[in-house]
Amino acid sequence: MEKVNINGVDFELNMLDADTIERFENLTTETVNEIKDQSNYEGLSNADSMRFQCRTIERFFDDLFGAGTSGKVFPVSPGKQQNNDLGSHIEAFGIAMQLSKESRERVRQLTTKYGPERTMNREERRAAAKAGKNGGKNKVQNFRNQNAAHNRG
């Protein structure tokens, strides 16, 4: 379970759950494509374009974490109807995107820890040695150990 704080609001999201990651990836792609699509900006002023991007990012948070989330993440200043600070919206979206990178790193760590290429612990090495030729007995090593024990003085 990944924990993240975005604009003072704590979230938990299981980025190792296939259904969650699928929803996350779909929403991310949808949000990025909507913001990149130049046809969405035709006839809009610079300010209205910024407002459009803010609403798109707010929709991402509401769809990902539940309705009303964007109101907590992007609180409205007194006397305003909506938070139109594009900087805080993009920053929050970037933090959410970081979750995806962190989950990939977590999967890599788990694969390294439990994957077939990992280093074996002592018990596993012993079991592998026993399964090897000569019943796992390393005659040269045993001879060295025996001589070392007898030469201790």
Side-chain angles (χ1 to χ4, degrees):
M1 191 70 72
E2 310 297 325
K3 295 181 181 183
V4 65
N5 183 297
I6 302 174
N7 291 346
V9 182
D10 292 325
F11 295 101
E12 285 188 6
L13 195 62
N14 187 357
M15 295 296 281
L16 296 181
D17 177 66
D19 297 330
T20 302
I21 203 73
E22 180 179 45
R23 190 172 87 242
F24 180 86
E25 288 174 346
N26 289 341
L27 287 171
T28 300
T29 302
E30 184 180 305
T31 302
V32 169
N33 288 341
E34 195 170 342
I35 288 174
K36 284 184 176 180
D37 185 1
Q38 293 300 312
S39 66
N40 291 325
Y41 302 102
E42 290 177 12
L44 295 181
S45 68
N46 217 11
D48 286 337
S49 296
M50 293 169 69
R51 287 184 189 97
F52 169 78
Q53 292 177 19
C54 289
R55 301 299 83 78
T56 303
I57 292 171
E58 288 171 2
R59 197 167 39 258
F60 167 83
F61 280 96
D62 285 339
D63 291 346
L64 184 61
F65 295 107
T69 302
S70 63
K72 297 173 188 172
V73 175
F74 309 108
V76 179
S77 301
K80 287 189 170 185
Q81 291 183 350
Q82 292 178 315
N83 181 333
N84 293 314
D85 181 357
L86 183 59
S88 70
H89 282 70
I90 291 175
E91 189 73 33
F93 188 69
I95 292 169
M97 295 304 96
Q98 189 65 30
L99 286 174
S100 179
K101 290 179 184 176
E102 290 171 6
S103 71
R104 283 193 297 271
E105 176 61 23
R106 178 77 174 125
V107 168
R108 190 194 63 73
Q109 288 173 352
L110 288 171
T111 329
T112 302
K113 184 176 180 180
Y114 297 111
E117 300 86 27
R118 69 181 173 75
T119 305
M120 294 188 287
N121 64 30
R122 181 185 301 169
E123 183 178 340
E124 292 168 326
R125 288 191 305 268
R126 286 180 179 164
K130 283 183 180 180
K133 64 181 183 178
N134 295 332
K137 298 194 183 221
N138 184 337
K139 291 182 180 181
V140 174
Q141 186 64 44
N142 287 341
F143 180 75
R144 286 183 187 147
N145 290 343
Q146 187 178 24
N147 283 339
H150 289 294
N151 292 332
R152 280 195 189 163

